[in-house]
């Protein structure tokens, strides 16, 4: 039995490498509601480092994930009652540097954890122990599974009704969540078609098992689908919206299923939406006995830990590629430090990323030893 450390009410405590945890830190805060991330969000230089309560962990963030929905959050679209200022960022991976008494029953200082919780764009985040996921080590690949991997896994499992030989279309297939939809559909022995915006992305998709890639910058997606899949596709994993949604809807087979996991094409608009030809929707669905289903991860949290456990096991076995994009190829180089979150969001909306965009938060450790 190891001693239990109650660090929850100490004003000044040591982390596991013998360095003082500072009293202040950097973090990103939404100070004005706007779909323009740079207008909405401010980098605070001297925010107080929060103290963990009895059931909490204080996590020193080492990697944070960029999501298309960061813009929806900064625009106040998820909860109209929340007024600025509020913290932003959905997911992080890091080390436990302090914890409350109850939390120390399951966790220890120095442990690697991942979490999904608002407020990850900060050097330190307080995470309730029951929401944390223990990890074998701090690796950015684990971060790709927290929101992106879990979204693909649960949406396809609950709504996709995948079976051998089914034709699955994944839009934005080389993105953070698209990469998992492609791989999971292949594991279900489906024929997978992926749309992307460059030949480089097409090459990545082929490397993870995609059967047919369509570069929408150089090819007419609708014509390709009509020619190569005259009977239509059985399942669409759709995250783009606007014209791509209309096109995907028109490409459904009899009894086809279109799963909406996002509509990134509209997020930077004031309304958050790109117009679709929805007035024809009832007739189109009826004609094909087809369906459109929405998927929002927050509504499936009861199955979340199971999904994550499965995904982590697949990754550890080498059965899942977790592609991370640190922005090495972006004009100003790798995304390092909270200041680079702004660049990382721009990079995503320019459609440059292959895999999940991750920002590294380096920490200097002043050893007391």
């Amino acid at each position: 039995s190891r001693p239990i450390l109650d660090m929850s009410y100490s004003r000044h405590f040591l982390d596991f490498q013998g360095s003082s945890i500072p009293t202040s830190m950097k973090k990103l805060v939404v100070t004005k509601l706007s779909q323009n991330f740079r207008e909405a969000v401010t980098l605070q230089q001297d925010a107080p480092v929060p103290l963990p309560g009895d059931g909490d962990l204080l996590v020193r963030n080492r990697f944070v994930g960029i999501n298309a929905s960061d813009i929806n959050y900064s625009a106040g679209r998820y909860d109209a009652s929340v007024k600025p200022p509020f913290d932003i960022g959905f997911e992080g991976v890091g080390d436990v540097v302090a914890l409350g008494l109850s939390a120390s029953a399951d966790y220890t200082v120095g442990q690697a954890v991942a979490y999904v919780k608002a407020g990850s764009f900060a050097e330190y985040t307080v995470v309730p122990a029951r929401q944390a996921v223990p990890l074998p080590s701090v690796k950015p690949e684990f971060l790709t599974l927290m929101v992106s991997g879990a979204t693909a896994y649960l949406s396809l499992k609950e709504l996709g009704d995948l079976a051998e030989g089914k034709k699955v279309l994944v839009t934005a297939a080389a993105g953070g969540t698209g990469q998992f939809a492609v791989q999971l559909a292949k594991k279900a022995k489906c024929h997978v078609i992926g749309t992307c915006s460059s030949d480089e992305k097409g090459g990545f998709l082929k490397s993870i098992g995609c059967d047919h890639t369509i570069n929408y910058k150089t090819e007419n997606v609708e014509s390709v689908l009509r020619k190569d899949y005259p009977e239509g596709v059985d399942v669409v994993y759709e995250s783009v919206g606007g014209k791509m949604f209309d096109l995907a809807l028109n490409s459904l087979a009899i009894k086809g299923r279109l799963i909406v996991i996002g509509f990134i094409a509209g997020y930077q608009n004031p309304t958050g939406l790109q117009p679709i030809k929805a007035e024809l929707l009832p007739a189109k669905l009826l004609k094909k006995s087809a369906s459109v289903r929405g998927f929002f991860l927050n509504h499936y949290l009861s199955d979340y830990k199971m999904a994550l456990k499965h995904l982590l096991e697949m990754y550890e076995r080498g059965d899942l590629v977790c592609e991370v994009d640190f922005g090495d190829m972006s004009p100003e180089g790798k995304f390092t430090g909270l200041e680079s979150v702004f660049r990382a969001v721009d990079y995503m909306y320019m459609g440059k990323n292959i895999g999940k965009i991750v920002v590294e938060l380096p920490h200097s450790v002043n050893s007391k030893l």
Side-chain angles (χ1 to χ4, degrees), residues 95-148:
D95 311 291
V96 175
V97 291
L99 68 172
L101 186 58
S102 300
S104 63
D106 298 307
Y107 289 91
T108 181
V109 167
Q111 192 159 355
V113 294
Y115 64 89
V116 175
K117 176 184 178 284
S120 71
F121 292 164
E123 290 179 317
Y124 295 86
T125 303
V126 167
V127 179
R130 60 189 161 72
Q131 288 179 21
V133 178
L135 298 174
S137 61
V138 173
K139 282 169 77 173
E141 285 79 9
F142 292 127
L143 195 56
T144 67
L145 302 174
M146 299 302 294
V147 171
S148 302

Side-chain angles (χ1 to χ4, degrees), residues 32-296:
K32 170 191 168 188
L33 295 183
S34 170
Q35 74 283 351
N36 180 328
F37 193 81
R38 287 178 181 271
E39 269 182 26
V41 179
T42 303
L43 175 63
Q44 266 189 17
Q45 297 282 355
D46 55 356
V49 171
L51 290 174
D54 179 58
D56 296 332
L57 311 173
L58 180 65
V59 178
R60 183 171 66 184
N61 294 314
R62 297 265 300 281
F63 299 102
V64 293
I66 304 295
N67 292 283
S69 297
D70 290 328
I71 279 185
N72 287 332
Y73 203 59
S74 71
R77 290 182 187 135
Y78 282 163
D79 185 351
S81 67
V82 178
K83 302 289 181 242
F86 56 86
D87 297 347
I88 191 165
F90 291 131
E91 55 186 344
V93 166
D95 311 291
V96 175
V97 291
L99 68 172
L101 186 58
S102 300
S104 63
D106 298 307
Y107 289 91
T108 181
V109 167
Q111 192 159 355
V113 294
Y115 64 89
V116 175
K117 176 184 178 284
S120 71
F121 292 164
E123 290 179 317
Y124 295 86
T125 303
V126 167
V127 179
R130 60 189 161 72
Q131 288 179 21
V133 178
L135 298 174
S137 61
V138 173
K139 282 169 77 173
E141 285 79 9
F142 292 127
L143 195 56
T144 67
L145 302 174
M146 299 302 294
V147 171
S148 302
T151 295
Y153 181 92
L154 285 168
S155 63
L156 290 173
K157 180 174 180 288
E158 298 295 324
L159 310 178
D161 196 18
L162 300 184
E164 185 170 354
K166 296 284 185 193
K167 294 183 277 296
V168 179
L169 171 66
V170 180
T171 63
T177 186
Q179 64 171 328
F180 294 111
V182 167
Q183 293 178 79
L184 294 168
K186 278 307 293 177
K187 292 200 182 309
K189 299 190 165 89
C190 297
H191 176 90
V192 184
I193 308 130
T195 69
C196 60
S197 59
S198 72
D199 291 342
E200 189 191 359
K201 290 185 180 190
F204 165 68
L205 289 173
K206 288 203 165 71
S207 77
I208 59 170
C210 195
D211 296 290
H212 189 164
T213 62
I214 306 173
N215 180 344
Y216 64 82
K217 292 277 177 77
T218 59
E219 299 174 84
N220 182 311
V221 181
E222 196 153 19
S223 304
V224 172
L225 289 172
R226 202 179 299 123
K227 174 176 158 289
D228 293 345
Y229 305 96
E231 302 291 306
V233 295
D234 303 295
V235 180
V236 181
Y237 182 86
E238 217 296 273
S239 61
V240 177
K243 289 177 180 157
M244 187 61 86
F245 173 88
D246 288 330
L247 188 157
L249 182 69
N250 293 339
S251 304
L252 282 178
I254 303 294
K255 299 184 184 174
R257 299 170 293 290
L258 192 156
I259 305 168
V260 177
I261 64 114
F263 33 92
I264 190 172
Y267 292 171
Q268 288 179 301
N269 296 353
T271 59
L273 293 166
Q274 192 92 331
I276 58 167
K277 295 174 182 162
E279 68 276 7
L280 303 173
L281 191 61
K284 286 180 178 180
L285 295 178
L286 179 65
K287 195 170 142 192
K288 293 180 173 177
S289 294
S291 64
V292 175
R293 298 284 300 271
F295 178 88
F296 186 46

